[in-house]
Amino acid sequence: MNNLQKWNLLQSNMVLDHPWCKIRRDEIELPNGKIIDDYFVNIKPDIAFMLPITSSQEIVFVRQYRHAIGEFFIELPAGSFNPEKEKAETAAIRELEEETGYIAENVQKIATFYGAPSKDTNQIHLFLAENVIKSGKQNLDITEEIEVILIPKNLVLQKITQGEISVSGTVAALFLGLNFLAS
C-alpha cells in the first residue's frame, strides 16, 4: 500500500512576474508537519519539441548559443507556447519551420513528459515528423541565431554518448523518439 502524501500548500505569492520569468514563492507543510516557507517554483510555459527526420534518415537539429551556460548546444527544434492559445502540435510544426526552414506534413505525437517537476510547472510535448522537406528560410526571433545541422539517425546515440548532444530535453526526446521508431 502506498502511504505517500502530497504536500499541503499553505499560501502562495508571485515574487517575480515578468514576461520572460515568473517565480512563485510557496509556503508548504510537509506530511511530517514541517513547514517550509520559501519553496520557489518556476512558472514556465509548455514546450513543443519536434523530432524531424528527412527521407534520407537524417535528423534535423539546431545548434545555438545558450547564455546561461555560455556555450553552443545541439538540440531538437523546440519552443515554448501557451496551451490556451495554441495546440502543442501546431507549436511544434511552427517551431520546426521557424528555426530550420523545414516543413512537416505528417506529424505524430510521441509523448508528454516533464523536465524538472520539482521546481518547474511546464510539460514537454514531443512530436515526430518523418520525410520533412526543406521549404524555405528560417524566421528567427531576435534572440535566436541558429545553425541547422543534419545528423544521420544511426549516429545520434553515439553523439549523445560522446557528449556532443547533451541537453536533457533533447536527449530524453531522442530516446523516446528512437524507441518509438524501433517498435
Side-chain angles (χ1 to χ4, degrees):
M1 178 176 234
N2 187 347
N3 293 325
L4 296 175
Q5 297 175 9
K6 291 184 176 184
W7 297 356
N8 184 25
L9 178 64
L10 302 175
Q11 71 177 53
S12 183
N13 64 310
M14 294 297 285
V15 293
L16 181 59
D17 192 359
H18 184 276
W20 290 97
C21 184
K22 296 181 185 306
I23 299 176
R24 186 182 77 213
R25 180 192 157 279
D26 290 349
E27 181 180 347
I28 54 172
E29 179 182 7
L30 300 176
N32 64 11
K34 180 170 174 47
I35 304 291
I36 297 178
D37 59 359
D38 283 330
Y39 195 91
F40 293 95
V41 176
N42 301 313
I43 310 297
K44 291 184 162 185
D46 281 10
I47 299 171
F49 268 82
M50 182 66 82
L51 174 51
I53 304 174
T54 67
S55 59
S56 43
Q57 297 302 294
E58 294 174 305
I59 297 178
V60 181
F61 287 94
V62 296
R63 182 175 178 269
Q64 60 188 322
Y65 178 76
R66 294 302 192 186
H67 180 70
I69 305 300
E71 294 294 336
F72 291 89
F73 290 92
I74 297 172
E75 302 171 77
L76 288 173
S80 61
F81 71 100
N82 181 342
E84 294 174 8
K85 297 180 180 177
E86 184 178 30
K87 291 182 178 180
E89 181 177 329
T90 305
I93 292 167
R94 175 182 49 76
E95 287 291 338
L96 172 65
E97 187 169 9
E98 286 176 0
E99 292 185 355
T100 68
Y102 279 80
I103 58 170
E105 291 187 8
N106 297 317
V107 175
Q108 280 184 278
K109 180 142 192 188
I110 295 178
T112 297
F113 57 100
Y114 295 89
S118 64
K119 294 288 184 179
D120 297 344
T121 61
N122 63 326
Q123 292 183 321
I124 300 169
H125 307 271
L126 173 61
F127 295 88
L128 168 69
E130 295 184 275
N131 301 315
V132 296
I133 301 166
K134 179 83 170 151
S135 71
K137 61 179 188 159
Q138 296 165 302
N139 183 17
L140 302 175
D141 293 338
I142 192 169
T143 60
E144 294 176 320
E145 186 177 350
I146 293 175
E147 175 186 8
V148 177
I149 298 174
L150 301 178
I151 299 175
K153 186 172 73 171
N154 64 339
L155 296 181
V156 167
L157 292 178
Q158 176 185 336
K159 300 270 185 202
I160 292 171
T161 348
Q162 293 171 340
E164 293 179 53
I165 298 173
S166 60
V167 177
S168 64
T170 289
V171 171
L174 287 166
F175 276 104
L176 287 166
L178 294 174
N179 183 62
F180 178 84
L181 288 166
S183 60

